Structure formats: structure tokens, C-alpha cells
Amino acid sequence: SYKWFQLYYNKPKTIEETATFCYTVEWKIRCYFKMNFQRIFSDTHHRSIFNYGVFFMEEKLNLCLGCFEEKHGDGPCIYCGYSDETPHLPSYLSPGTTLNDRYLVGRLLRYNGESATYLAYDAVMRKKIWIKEYMPDTLCARVRGSSLISVNQQNLAPYKTFMSEFTELNKLLSKMRTLSHVNPALELFAENNTTYVTFDVIEGVTLKEYLQENAGELSWDEVKSLFPPIFTTISLVHNAGIVHRGISP
């Protein structure tokens, strides 16, 4: 088909692209056979190719949507305690949503009035990631029972302006892969009338969480170790013409 023709002639040029290319080909083959199996043995074949692929992966891996570790039996996850019956905020994506024919969305991690960040699973690279969704909740709302975002006409202009700034910021940060203290964007894509950005998961705690666990104090040795790399990175980012405005504990 045309898609296979296009995939063949868009050959990878780097080791990273080659890995992605191989996973993509394998994923398409898995999805193809899963889809055709369903067409032969079932009348319910109206779902997308990717959804069949996700069901295939879920049947095989049985992933927890709270941590994306493999589940063992029914009931809450033994690793994180997440349950499929756990309620979620209706203004944000429901766990189990698929995005960009590739990502399986898990639980909501945080939101700040401008965006929401979810734990997710990359079905191509087979790893956990973070997905940040542009979601200024004072300018828009989630359509009930849907992943689509609705924007009132009076808020449309500022919504598009801020979304453009959100996109451009993450495009610039994605080019700063040489900075070890910046977590660059992996992919940006548009869906549901908004923009999404994917990032590698960084294991650890925030400064705020660390302070809460240590009586709200840092020793001088800890300050000398933690802050100079941050200041250096911020300086380099500012010299590149980027003002983040989102740095917080």
C-alpha cells in the first residue's frame, strides 16, 4: 500500500532513527495481523488499526494504567495501588485513551492551569513516557464523554496564541539535547484541538517533595550540589533566547 511504500522510502539515517524504524515496522505488522484476525473471526471490526494493536499489547502485557508495570491478577496494582475503578477528573484525559496512533494514556500526574501531564506508554518504543497536554482550563473545556477540547469563540484568539507559544517553546527545548539538565521534547503532535508533547520519564522526586521529607531544610553541601547546575542550565537556555517561565520546585 502507499503507507508501506512511504515507510520504505523514508529510510532512517541515524542509529536512533533506525531503532524507531524497526519498532514501527514490527508494530505495523502486529497491528495488521491483529486487525485481519478480528475481521475474519468477528463482526466488530470498526475500530482503528492502532486500537487493535493496543488491545493486542494489553492482552499480552496486561499493563497497569497507574504505573505501566505488568499487572498480576485482578484488583489494585501491587506496585502502585492503582485500580481500574479509580475515578479521574472529567476535565482531563481518561486513562486508557490512545493518542497519535501510538501512545496509551495512563493516570494524570499534575496540572497547573496551562497544561496537564500524564504518565503514558509508547507502544512503538515500548517504554513509559510523560505526555504534556496544552490545557488552559480557564479558556477551554473537555467535551463530555470525549477527548476533544472545546473553546468558546470569545476565548479562541488567546487560546490559539498561547498554544502557539507552548508549541514553539517545546520545539526550541527539543533542540537542546546537549544540555544534560534539560529534558527535551521527544515528539510534538496536534490532536483533539490541542497540542501534545512527549518526554522521557525521569525517576526521582521534585525539590518540593524532597524538602517535605527533610523538614523543609537543605544543608549548605546540598545547596552547593543541587543549584549550580540549574543556574548554569538556565543561563544557557536564556542565552538561546528562551524564557521558560515554568521553573518551580
Side-chain angles (χ1 to χ4, degrees):
S1 68
Y2 171 74
K3 287 186 177 180
W4 285 101
F5 177 87
Q6 189 180 39
L7 181 64
Y8 176 79
Y9 280 94
N10 289 337
K11 293 183 176 69
K13 300 179 180 62
T14 66
I15 294 176
E16 184 178 6
E17 289 178 359
T18 301
T20 303
F21 176 83
C22 293
Y23 278 120
T24 302
V25 171
E26 180 186 357
W27 182 252
K28 285 181 178 291
I29 292 172
R30 285 171 177 266
C31 292
Y32 174 80
F33 281 106
K34 181 63 177 179
M35 180 190 70
N36 282 276
F37 178 86
Q38 291 285 352
R39 282 182 170 173
I40 295 170
F41 294 98
S42 173
D43 292 328
T44 58
H45 57 263
H46 60 278
R47 299 184 183 94
S48 70
I49 292 176
F50 176 73
N51 283 334
Y52 285 121
V54 168
F55 295 150
F56 180 76
M57 292 294 291
E58 286 182 324
E59 289 167 7
K60 182 178 180 181
L61 298 179
N62 194 23
L63 298 175
C64 166
L65 295 175
C67 63
F68 287 106
E69 297 295 334
E70 188 170 359
K71 292 179 66 176
H72 301 279
D74 298 327
C77 174
I78 62 173
Y79 300 105
C80 70
Y82 181 87
S83 169
D84 292 338
E85 285 73 40
T86 302
H88 72 279
L89 296 174
S91 296
Y92 300 95
L93 291 174
S94 59
T97 301
T98 59
L99 295 174
N100 202 33
D101 291 350
R102 174 172 177 170
Y103 305 110
L104 180 63
V105 176
R107 63 185 176 90
L108 175 68
L109 297 176
R110 54 188 172 272
Y111 55 93
N112 60 11
E114 180 220 31
S115 62
T117 302
Y118 308 86
L119 186 65
Y121 184 77
D122 184 340
V124 173
M125 299 304 292
R126 300 181 185 180
K127 67 177 183 178
K128 291 185 285 187
I129 59 164
W130 290 331
I131 290 185
K132 181 177 286 188
E133 176 186 48
Y134 172 67
M135 177 62 179
D137 52 14
T138 59
L139 299 177
C140 62
R142 186 82 58 188
V143 176
R144 184 183 298 272
S146 169
S147 300
L148 189 66
I149 287 179
S150 175
V151 186
N152 291 332
Q153 192 64 33
Q154 62 183 10
N155 294 329
L156 189 58
Y159 178 84
K160 288 186 174 181
T161 298
F162 296 143
M163 183 165 63
S164 177
E165 293 178 356
F166 175 86
T167 302
E168 288 305 312
L169 170 63
N170 285 286
K171 281 183 179 179
L172 290 171
L173 289 175
S174 70
K175 299 176 182 178
M176 297 190 170
R177 299 181 181 275
T178 57
L179 300 182
S180 59
H181 294 89
V182 171
N183 190 14
L186 302 176
E187 182 182 15
L188 289 88
F189 60 94
E191 194 170 335
N192 298 324
N193 197 28
T194 188
T195 299
Y196 296 91
V197 191
T198 67
F199 300 91
D200 278 326
V201 170
I202 297 178
E203 301 293 347
V205 298
T206 65
L207 176 59
K208 182 178 180 180
E209 292 169 338
Y210 185 82
L211 288 171
Q212 290 173 341
E213 295 173 359
N214 292 273
E217 296 180 353
L218 291 173
S219 69
W220 177 240
D221 287 337
E222 288 174 319
V223 171
K224 287 191 297 182
S225 173
L226 290 173
F227 285 91
I230 296 174
F231 296 149
T232 300
T233 301
I234 292 174
S235 177
L236 293 171
V237 169
H238 284 181
N239 289 339
I242 302 174
V243 180
H244 193 285
R245 298 192 181 97
I247 299 171
S248 69

